[in-house]
Amino acid sequence: AQTVTQSQPEMSVQEAETVTLSCTYDTSESDYYLFWYKQPPSRQMILVIRQEAYKQQNATENRFSVNFQKAAKSFSLKISDSQLGDAAMYFCAPTEQGAQKLVFGQGTRLTINP
Amino acid sequence: GAGVSQSPRYKVAKRGQDVALRCDPISGHVSLFWYQQALGQGPEFLTYFQNEAQLDKSGLPSDRFFAERPEGSVSTLKIQRTQQEDSAVYLCASRPTVIQETQYFGPGTRLLVL
């Protein structure tokens, strides 16, 4: 089974600064998707950004962007101009078995300091 | 439109009781997933439906866990003879089609077994 590693259990950043959350995985599949989800204290899992593994171009979504290194199996999330509302647990999740399920990392708790 | 809904939001059960957790996916979504999230951990896959067919139940931890989606819409996760280790948040997610698209999550049901 695939393992997803988020090596930073906690991160903190000053409001308006930039922060990068790291993620590595070990899939044996050639075609898959990768997602970053955020989970605020309310527990609702919210999609932040997604990346198709066959695309070389890194995905961006407003203040959120990824650095996808397929050969290194690395998928980091960069948050620019951090806002208080960005505070949450962030989970990296590649798909597995023909994209029929997500495999989640342990999460990174992001704190935004005003 | 309405998102994924789950009920109840909280459930307290005595050890040995049976519980049933309900998931209402986004209307028209073909795929439905159940995940279990222990405290402080990332979600772990339990089972997957495509319409009414349960195509993958490899993540169900024991034969006390049973899921169904008889009409291809609402799904129920049933846990028989609950144990303390079943205490967790149970997340439901739905996806529009069977191809590799985003899963949309519900708010989860927090189960506490005493």
Side-chain angles (χ1 to χ4, degrees), chain A residues 31-33 35 37 39 42-45 47 50 89 91 95 97-107, chain B residues 9-10 33 35 37 40-43 45 48 56 58 89 91 95 98 100-103 105-108 110:
Chain A
D31 190 18
Y32 51 93
Y33 280 55
F35 298 86
Y37 282 89
Q39 188 178 42
S42 66
R43 292 202 310 270
Q44 185 91 38
M45 197 74 77
L47 175 71
R50 77 176 209 175
M89 283 290 288
F91 292 98
T95 57
Q97 293 182 351
Q100 300 314 332
K101 65 181 180 182
L102 294 170
V103 181
F104 287 85
Q106 296 285 71
Chain B
R9 292 293 310 276
Y10 301 90
F33 301 80
Y35 295 86
Q37 186 175 21
Q41 305 293 315
F45 170 80
Y48 159 63
D56 187 350
S58 62
V89 175
L91 297 171
R95 188 176 69 186
V98 300
Q100 303 186 39
E101 293 184 37
T102 303
Q103 295 183 25
F105 284 81
R110 182 180 295 278

Side-chain angles (χ1 to χ4, degrees), chain B residues 86-101:
Chain B
D86 300 334
S87 296
V89 175
Y90 292 85
L91 297 171
C92 175
S94 69
R95 188 176 69 186
T97 69
V98 300
I99 61 175
Q100 303 186 39
E101 293 184 37

Side-chain angles (χ1 to χ4, degrees), chain A:
Chain A
Q2 180 172 193
T3 300
V4 180
T5 301
Q6 294 182 246
S7 59
Q8 306 147 314
E10 296 185 359
M11 292 280 286
S12 64
V13 64
Q14 290 296 124
E15 194 175 3
E17 297 290 303
T18 296
V19 63
T20 299
L21 310 183
S22 65
C23 172
T24 58
Y25 55 97
D26 62 0
T27 185
S28 59
E29 300 180 4
S30 58
D31 190 18
Y32 51 93
Y33 280 55
L34 304 110
F35 298 86
W36 277 98
Y37 282 89
K38 65 182 280 190
Q39 188 178 42
S42 66
R43 292 202 310 270
Q44 185 91 38
M45 197 74 77
I46 302 166
L47 175 71
V48 175
I49 197 165
R50 77 176 209 175
Q51 172 80 42
E52 293 87 348
Y54 64 87
K55 289 187 177 180
Q56 291 186 333
Q57 185 174 5
N58 288 323
T60 63
E61 191 73 37
N62 299 316
R63 297 182 295 108
F64 300 87
S65 62
V66 300
N67 182 5
F68 174 49
Q69 304 289 330
K70 189 173 184 179
K73 296 182 181 178
S74 171
F75 183 58
S76 62
L77 174 69
K78 186 172 82 171
I79 306 173
S80 304
D81 185 26
S82 298
Q83 300 177 1
L84 295 178
D86 295 334
M89 283 290 288
Y90 283 79
F91 292 98
C92 171
T95 57
E96 186 172 272
Q97 293 182 351
Q100 300 314 332
K101 65 181 180 182
L102 294 170
V103 181
F104 287 85
Q106 296 285 71
T108 295
R109 181 175 302 281
L110 178 64
T111 301
I112 310 297
N113 300 312

Side-chain angles (χ1 to χ4, degrees), chain B residues 51-52 69-74:
Chain B
N51 295 308
E52 69 278 4
R69 194 187 185 198
E71 298 180 355
S73 56
V74 172

